[in-house]
Amino acid sequence: VTAAGPATRPPLPQGKAKQVFVQTLFDRIAPRYALVNKVMTLGLDMKWRRKAIRLLGLAPGSVVVDLACGPGEMAGLLNAGGIRAAGFDLSAPMLVAARHRLPLAQADAALLPVAPGALDGAVSAFALRNFADLPAVLDECARAIRPGGRLSFLDVGQPANPVVRVVGNFFLNVVAPVVGGIVSDPEAYRYLPRSVAYLPPPAELVRMLDQAGFTNARHHPVSGGIVQVFTATRSATAPGSAGASR
Ligand SMILES: C[S@@+](CC[C@H](N)C(=O)[O-])C[C@H]1O[C@@H](n2cnc3c(N)ncnc32)[C@H](O)[C@@H]1O
């Protein structure tokens, strides 16, 4: 509280301002991003990433992109499983931080440099809430993934069980800002818990996937719902629009 009244936090940015904010933030924290992830999730992030890839359910040899790939950890795990993986991210410093030599390129997930139907699948991890225009990203996935192809998106969740929710929120609201603030950048890691507010509720995201041109859209709570995975299959018919009823 200040003399001017209770301290208020600035509203979360939206639209183009959000995209610029997110890109600048990840450019800044890129060098230590993967390290902070490992410390603040106690290494569980790799287990969650593997789960999302299992739920993708595609065979070795499939062509899959890691959207908003950061240092490309999902791409690395896909490649280790025999999948032909590439990654795209807005932030060039995030791509530079990769510890493998898979093809990674700077691109907006809402404007992918791939031909229609060229992909067997797409994955993303901890990126849904960072997209400035999530419906546009889902529409772009429907364009780029072939009919029958798959997507699997991992992000943080809201556990239904109150005890698990307290534990999950402790890591998100306390551990992440403290660890991130010490090892990396305090402002960036204060944004992390706030960014959860961007995530649509699971039923809404499932509806958006349906509207974008996917079938069989499913929500999978993982680790008691601390994280969640959304999977879907590209429908055989022409894509719709995830933002149609916005
Ligand atoms: C929390 S990081 C996740 C990185 C990586 N997927 C992982 O699992 O560690 C979010 C990433 O989303 C990227 N990003 C945000 N909006 C994007 C967009 N429209 N297109 C591509 N990348 C985007 C950011 O640059 C950042 O690298």
Side-chain angles (χ1 to χ4, degrees), residues 19 22 26 33 37 49 66-71 73-74 88-91 94 107-110 125-127 130-131:
Q19 182 138 333
V22 164
F26 285 104
Y33 169 79
N37 264 356
R49 291 169 200 280
D66 178 4
L67 298 179
C69 61
E73 299 205 269
M74 293 292 278
F88 297 113
D89 199 284
L90 278 182
S91 164
M94 284 292 246
D108 184 345
F126 307 109
N130 289 300
F131 292 135

